[in-house]
Amino acid sequence: VMEVCCIFFLQKPKMVEDKRDGAKPGAKVADYWEASTKMLQDPPKFLESLMKFDKDGIVQETIDKAAPFMEREDFTPEAIKKVSKACTSICMWARAMFTYYNVSVAIAPKREALAQAQASLEVTKGELAEAKKTLGEVQAKLDELNANLSAAEAKKNGLEEQAETCKAQLDRAGKLIGGLGGEKTRWEATVQSLTDQLAAVIGDVVVSSGVVAYNGPFTPSFRADLLAEWSAKMVELDIPHTPGADIVSTLADPVRIRAWNIAGLPADAVSIENGIIVSKARRWPLMIDPQGQANKWVKAMEKETGIDVIKLTEKDYLRTLANGIRFGRAVLLENIAETLDAALEPLLQKQTFKQGGSEVIKMGDDVIPYHPDFRFYMTTKMRNPHYQPEVSVKVSLLNFFVTLDGLEDQLLGVVVEQERNDLAELKNELVVSNARMKKELKEIEDKILYLLSNSTGNILDDEVLIDTLSQSKVTSNEITEKVAEAESTEKDIDATREEYRPVATRASVLFFCISDLALVDPMYQYSLAWFISLFIRGIEEAEENEDVQQRIEILNEYFTYSLYNNVCLSLFESHKLMFSLLLTIAIMQQKGLIDALEWRFLLAGPTDTNIAEPNPAPDWVTEKVWVELVNLASLPAFEGFTTAFADDVDHYRAYFESADAHRHKLDAHFDEKLNAFQKLLVIRCIRPDRFMLGVQDFVALKLGERFIEPPPFNLASCYAESSVSSPLIFVLSSGADPMADLLKFADESKMIRKFDQVSLGQGQGPKAEALMRQAMEEGMWVCLQNCHLAESWMPKLDNIVEGIDPERVHKDFRLWLTSMPSPHFPVAILQNGVKMTLEPPKGLKSNLARSYARITDDYMETCKDPASHKKLLFSICLFHAVIQDRRKFGPLGWNIRY
């Protein structure tokens, strides 16, 4: 190592004799020991010399001398490290110097070339600077020329743009004028209308607010009276208002109303008022809906957005309601009674509050996020519920009882659908299409106004606005033409539909006739769905006829009698003739043949007991009869009747004493002047005991004999009309027991082994419920007797029947119920069930018909002597009928000798 070091430092060796094996005699070798010793005498100086060594001064001769060492395997840092760490570093230094020289030898020519290149670069840079200076001068001139060119081109482009803008604005102005030219008249009319409305808005809003706040529960006539009273008061107080204004003219949205009508809301004024109140009132609506129309409308209206239907009797109804509130769904609470669950209190009063920046409501112990799209509806099937003031002030109470006009339109649709299905489908398509197109037209008109009102700057510069307006107007014109065509077609269809209106008118009148029967007895409940089902069946079963007018007469006659037969099955004998009279009067009132004052007199009798006219025959004309006759003479048709009575008092005495007073003629003048109905009023006054016989003759004259001969009781036909979800209800009278007939029918139907019964009373409810569950699974018949004795269990029965799913219940299951008339019997069961009364019929003919209805032809023929058997059977039936009918005379029936 030190030899190499001495070589690099040009230290001369000492030449000594070569004593190595094989050396030639006298040969000498270089010995660097002394030189090395000298160099190492001062280590710091030696180290410094190593660090400051002039590596660039190394010559080739030195490298040649060091080269052999570099090639030796033992002259590597690794090999020397094994011997001496200090020498390792010196070895590395020597190798570094050797490597440096070799590298510098290769780089030297390159350095020389670099120096030459740099010299050349300096010369070139000088030339370049000169060239750049010249170029700068030229560029400055060029920039000046370009600036002049740009200014000229900008001026040119500006002029071209102005020309194009003027041209475009001219074109847009043409589009604007052409597109909106047709709107001018409409806008002028709208502006005028809005100006007038603005002047009268105070009074109109007062009226509408009153209607929303107060009118909901009332009947159409009372609503009209209230409106007239308010209007008169506004005139008196000089409040600006529109004459005849109501909630429809003030708050109605025609597009929305059409959508409601399509969803099933009747098109009459009262129903539309109700719809507006539902949409505008701040309180949630509670709809009195005995016919289910509001229920059906709400479900159809909210079908697209989703609606949850709940009942207070469901266990988890509050959870469903909470989900509706949370997710903004519509919720319909059905079949509520006269009280509401206290848990609904926060919702009814809308007791919402802010929590964490969002609106919430507390229901029980839960705090629920209140979604702004949440809607809540309530309906009750009760005809005339009585809600306490604390309930009424929390809800918007609405009377959704079907109106005559609304029902007539609904039934017209039904009859046309059955008779002319093609017209009905086309009509429905046109109604939906017209509603959709008018909605689009309204949206387009609103869009045009919105774009115009929100336009900023020069309207002619807004190309998007002009194009939108132009396209909107084109679409508007197309829709207007289509709407006009559709409305024309719809008018043609309506003209054809109107031919069937007499059928719808008759049916709607009859429905109101049977709906009023609930005032006579609480068990006489009939649903609109049942009525429409019977109406459709009547249309299908009536005799066909190509002539429309004859077909209408056939439909009217057939359905009237079909309704009479079906309703009579559920009426007590004492009410059947009354029902026949009501039917007759209703039909005649619809034709305008009954005077309202005369009808009122027939029902209520005299109103004034202070009379001045003297009684012409006090010996047989009682004071009561004379008061009634004087009041009768105050009616227009009976003017002068008391005078005629006094002038012909002997004739009227014969009338009074006649056994057939109801058929006895009046005096010549009034007998010819008065019609059959008006003669009933005379009978009512003079011989009220013959009034019912007179009613029979009157009904037979106007509707036919069959309307005073109720159909015989037929349990099999009643059973045929029932279903698993339609119970059969025996409405009992004193002493009546239908069990014998029911057991016999069960035996004939081979169901006697699957028949069971429970007599309801205290503690029998759970037993009856368990039996019904079993019967639904096994297809049994269950009879629950004396429902009127279990008033507290009736709501539970209502829930069970309402929850019957025909898909899950055995098809043979039937529920039979017996009950005396009771206001606590569930209305829903009465409306949907098959009602029957079982009591001895009145009259020999009806009694005989009842007896023979229970006897089959086989029974009459299976005898050795059928002819004698039939005679004997008739004798027994006639004797039984006589005995039964004599009961109406009480004790006298058994004590007068004949």
Side-chain angles (χ1 to χ4, degrees):
V1 170
M2 288 310 297
E3 282 182 17
V4 175
C5 188
C6 289
I7 290 170
F8 275 107
F9 277 97
L10 302 179
Q11 295 292 325
K12 292 184 179 181
K14 183 179 179 181
M15 301 301 292
V16 294
E17 184 180 354
D18 187 1
K19 294 180 179 181
R20 292 176 295 181
D21 294 340
K24 291 180 180 182
K28 294 187 181 283
V29 293
D31 182 10
Y32 287 94
W33 178 256
E34 289 184 7
S36 299
T37 304
K38 289 178 182 178
M39 290 177 69
L40 292 173
Q41 282 178 353
D42 188 354
K45 185 178 179 182
F46 173 69
L47 183 60
E48 185 180 356
S49 67
L50 287 176
M51 295 176 69
K52 291 182 178 181
F53 183 74
D54 182 14
K55 53 185 175 294
D56 291 327
I58 301 172
V59 295
Q60 183 64 40
E61 184 183 352
T62 303
I63 295 301
D64 291 342
K65 289 179 180 179
F69 291 93
M70 300 300 169
E71 294 174 359
R72 286 169 58 173
E73 291 181 359
D74 57 350
F75 192 77
T76 61
E78 292 77 10
I80 294 172
K81 186 177 182 182
K82 297 175 183 178
V83 180
S84 171
K85 288 185 178 180
C87 288
T88 302
S89 300
I90 298 172
C91 172
M92 292 171 66
W93 176 85
R95 281 188 167 277
M97 294 300 107
F98 184 82
T99 303
Y100 179 80
Y101 176 82
N102 288 331
V103 173
S104 66
V105 167
I107 290 176
K110 294 178 181 177
R111 284 181 176 172
E112 186 179 350
L114 175 61
Q116 291 175 358
Q118 285 178 337
S120 175
L121 176 62
E122 291 299 325
V123 175
T124 305
K125 280 183 177 179
E127 294 175 354
L128 177 61
E130 187 67 27
K132 280 184 176 180
K133 181 181 178 182
T134 306
L135 178 61
E137 294 172 357
V138 174
Q139 189 65 44
K141 291 181 181 180
L142 182 60
D143 289 344
E144 184 181 352
L145 292 173
N146 281 338
N148 293 337
L149 176 62
S150 297
E153 287 182 344
K155 187 175 182 180
K156 174 193 169 189
N157 291 338
L159 291 172
E160 287 179 349
E161 284 177 7
Q162 287 181 13
E164 288 295 326
T165 300
C166 287
K167 184 178 178 182
Q169 286 181 341
L170 192 62
D171 183 43
R172 291 169 195 157
K175 288 181 180 179
L176 191 64
I177 294 169
L180 301 180
E183 300 291 330
K184 179 183 177 183
T185 306
R186 187 174 66 83
W187 285 347
E188 285 179 347
T190 302
V191 169
Q192 184 60 45
S193 173
L194 291 174
T195 303
D196 295 341
Q197 289 177 19
L198 188 61
V201 71
I202 297 174
D204 294 351
V205 169
V206 166
V207 170
S208 297
S209 301
V211 171
V212 171
Y214 302 113
N215 279 18
F218 300 128
T219 58
S221 58
F222 193 77
R223 289 187 187 188
D225 293 343
L226 276 178
L227 204 60
E229 186 178 334
W230 294 343
S231 298
K233 197 68 177 176
M234 284 194 292
V235 171
E236 179 186 330
L237 298 174
D238 200 22
I239 298 175
H241 70 285
T242 306
D246 57 11
I247 190 173
V248 177
S249 61
T250 308
L251 297 179
D253 178 359
V255 173
R256 196 171 185 186
I257 289 173
R258 275 193 293 272
W260 290 344
N261 294 148
I262 292 170
L265 182 72
D268 60 284
V270 175
S271 298
I272 290 172
E273 269 188 23
N274 287 339
I276 295 171
I277 294 173
V278 167
S279 65
K280 298 293 183 182
R282 292 182 180 179
R283 292 174 291 187
W284 299 122
L286 195 168
M287 294 167 271
I288 301 167
D289 185 34
Q291 285 83 33
Q293 289 201 124
N295 213 303
K296 178 182 175 184
W297 167 59
V298 169
K299 288 177 180 176
M301 179 176 62
E302 299 288 359
K303 184 179 180 180
E304 290 185 8
T305 55
I307 182 169
D308 297 319
V309 181
I310 58 176
K311 300 177 182 66
L312 288 176
T313 53
E314 294 175 359
K315 293 180 181 178
D316 59 347
Y317 84 93
L318 281 175
R319 186 189 310 160
T320 307
L321 182 59
N323 287 334
I325 296 171
R326 181 178 286 109
F327 300 114
R329 291 172 61 84
V331 177
L332 171 62
L333 177 58
E334 289 184 323
N335 300 351
I336 65 172
E338 293 183 340
T339 56
L340 293 174
D341 192 338
L344 298 174
E345 187 81 11
L347 181 61
L348 295 180
Q349 295 195 2
K350 297 188 177 179
Q351 294 173 347
T352 60
F353 56 94
K354 291 285 185 180
Q355 187 179 79
S358 59
E359 194 172 16
V360 296
I361 188 169
K362 189 172 183 180
M363 298 283 290
D365 296 329
D366 299 327
V367 176
I368 305 165
Y370 190 89
H371 198 289
D373 292 338
F374 169 70
R375 284 95 57 215
F376 186 47
Y377 307 92
M378 294 166 282
T379 61
T380 177
K381 283 191 174 181
M382 301 177 74
R383 283 175 56 89
N384 191 19
H386 176 65
Y387 289 104
Q388 296 295 328
E390 55 268 24
V391 174
S392 299
V393 297
K394 296 171 191 170
V395 300
S396 180
L397 202 57
L398 290 172
N399 183 0
F400 256 93
F401 196 92
V402 64
T403 63
L404 189 63
D405 293 340
L407 181 59
E408 186 175 315
D409 287 340
Q410 195 174 341
L411 293 176
L412 179 60
V414 171
V415 70
V416 172
E417 187 174 349
Q418 296 298 316
E419 293 291 292
R420 293 288 304 274
N421 190 44
D422 54 330
L423 278 184
E425 289 180 357
L426 185 57
K427 167 75 174 176
N428 291 336
E429 289 174 6
L430 284 175
V431 168
V432 175
S433 174
N434 280 353
R436 187 186 67 252
M437 289 191 294
K438 286 181 178 178
K439 182 180 179 183
E440 289 178 8
L441 195 59
K442 180 73 166 55
E443 289 173 352
I444 288 171
E445 291 171 353
D446 292 343
K447 182 180 181 182
I448 290 173
L449 288 173
Y450 175 79
L451 290 172
L452 289 175
S453 62
N454 287 276
S455 175
T456 56
N458 190 343
I459 193 172
L460 296 177
D461 292 337
D462 195 339
E463 186 176 358
V464 175
L465 171 63
I466 300 298
D467 288 344
T468 305
L469 293 177
S470 177
Q471 185 59 41
S472 297
K473 189 59 185 175
V474 171
T475 308
S476 172
N477 290 338
E478 291 175 357
I479 292 176
T480 303
E481 291 177 7
K482 289 179 181 177
V483 168
E485 291 175 7
E487 287 181 343
S488 174
T489 307
E490 193 173 353
K491 286 179 181 176
D492 294 340
I493 293 173
D494 286 342
T496 307
R497 291 173 84 245
E498 285 299 313
E499 294 180 0
Y500 292 93
R501 185 165 290 277
V503 180
T505 304
R506 167 70 69 87
S508 61
V509 166
L510 296 181
F511 175 78
F512 279 92
C513 185
I514 65 168
S515 69
D516 289 339
L517 290 176
L519 302 173
V520 177
D521 191 290
M523 305 298 278
Y524 297 164
Q525 302 278 355
Y526 306 92
S527 70
L528 182 59
W530 171 84
F531 181 83
I532 291 176
S533 173
L534 185 65
F535 183 56
I536 293 173
R537 196 169 73 197
I539 294 171
E540 292 171 348
E541 294 175 356
E543 179 188 345
E544 296 290 340
N545 197 300
E546 294 297 327
D547 185 273
V548 175
Q549 294 305 318
Q550 290 186 14
R551 172 67 173 165
I552 288 171
E553 291 180 11
I554 290 170
L555 287 175
N556 280 341
E557 289 182 11
Y558 186 89
F559 178 66
T560 304
Y561 187 62
S562 171
L563 181 71
Y564 171 76
N565 274 342
N566 279 274
V567 173
C568 273
L569 290 173
S570 60
L571 299 182
F572 291 118
E573 290 295 325
S574 58
H575 296 148
K576 289 179 180 178
L577 184 59
M578 175 203 70
F579 177 57
S580 298
L581 176 63
L582 289 176
L583 280 182
T584 309
I585 297 297
I587 292 169
M588 293 179 70
Q589 281 179 329
Q590 180 247 320
K591 295 177 180 178
L593 301 177
I594 298 292
D595 181 81
L597 292 175
E598 294 172 2
W599 175 234
R600 180 181 178 82
F601 184 88
L602 183 73
L603 297 175
T607 56
D608 183 11
T609 56
N610 297 319
I611 56 173
E613 296 183 45
N615 187 339
D619 54 326
W620 65 270
V621 178
T622 65
E623 187 66 23
K624 180 178 181 298
V625 171
W626 184 242
V627 168
E628 292 200 356
L629 287 174
V630 172
N631 276 270
L632 180 64
S634 66
L635 297 174
F638 294 87
E639 186 178 354
F641 184 76
T642 51
T643 305
F645 184 90
D647 292 344
D648 206 351
V649 71
D650 292 335
H651 175 83
Y652 280 101
R653 179 158 192 166
Y655 178 97
F656 176 73
E657 294 174 351
S658 171
D660 292 325
H662 59 291
R663 293 175 180 168
H664 200 284
K665 291 184 178 295
L666 304 179
D667 65 87
H669 172 68
F670 277 99
D671 192 66
E672 184 179 343
K673 179 183 179 182
L674 301 182
N675 58 35
F677 173 71
Q678 291 165 340
K679 290 177 181 178
L680 275 180
L681 274 64
V682 179
I683 299 173
R684 183 197 187 285
C685 294
I686 302 176
R687 285 293 299 274
D689 60 311
R690 288 289 183 230
F691 178 72
M692 297 304 287
L693 296 175
V695 168
Q696 283 187 342
D697 287 354
F698 174 67
V699 172
L701 175 66
K702 296 299 180 182
L703 295 184
E705 290 280 345
R706 57 183 182 170
F707 283 89
I708 57 173
E709 298 171 358
F713 178 75
N714 188 335
L715 193 52
S717 64
C718 294
Y719 173 78
E721 291 188 16
S722 69
S723 66
V724 293
S725 57
S726 298
L728 295 106
I729 307 154
F730 287 104
V731 184
L732 305 178
S733 58
S734 298
D737 184 9
M739 287 310 298
D741 290 281
L742 180 53
L743 290 171
K744 180 183 177 184
F745 180 66
D747 188 33
E748 291 172 355
S749 303
K750 299 180 180 179
M751 291 293 291
I752 193 68
R753 292 185 178 180
K754 299 178 75 175
F755 179 87
D756 209 339
Q757 58 185 314
V758 176
S759 183
L760 293 178
Q762 188 172 5
Q764 295 300 304
K767 180 181 178 182
E769 187 175 349
L771 185 59
M772 287 177 66
R773 302 288 182 200
Q774 178 188 351
M776 289 181 202
E777 294 178 5
E778 300 177 6
M780 296 169 57
W781 286 7
V782 175
C783 179
L784 306 183
Q785 294 178 287
N786 302 323
C787 292
H788 58 283
L789 299 179
E791 291 181 5
S792 61
W793 191 71
M794 286 299 97
K796 184 65 177 177
L797 175 63
D798 193 12
N799 298 336
I800 294 173
V801 173
E802 190 176 9
I804 293 176
D805 184 356
E807 300 294 326
R808 298 182 180 180
V809 175
H810 196 289
K811 62 182 178 64
D812 292 337
F813 167 72
R814 287 295 184 278
L815 177 63
W816 303 79
L817 305 171
T818 72
S819 175
M820 295 284 283
S822 169
H824 301 283
F825 198 92
V827 173
I829 296 179
L830 286 171
Q831 288 186 342
N832 298 320
V834 179
K835 297 177 288 296
M836 302 163 284
T837 55
L838 192 61
E839 58 179 339
K842 290 186 177 180
L844 291 179
K845 186 174 181 180
S846 297
N847 267 291
L848 283 169
R850 168 73 69 87
S851 298
Y852 273 97
R854 300 179 179 183
I855 298 169
T856 62
D857 290 342
D858 292 339
Y859 171 76
M860 296 175 68
E861 296 296 336
T862 53
C863 179
K864 294 180 180 178
D865 187 357
S868 300
H869 182 222
K870 290 177 183 178
K871 292 177 182 178
L872 180 61
L873 182 63
F874 176 75
S875 301
I876 293 173
C877 290
L878 180 62
F879 177 72
H880 175 70
V882 170
I883 298 298
Q884 288 280 77
D885 214 45
R886 287 180 71 169
R887 294 185 311 166
K888 66 185 178 185
F889 300 109
L892 290 177
W894 314 107
N895 293 286
I896 294 179
R897 296 179 64 184
Y898 288 91

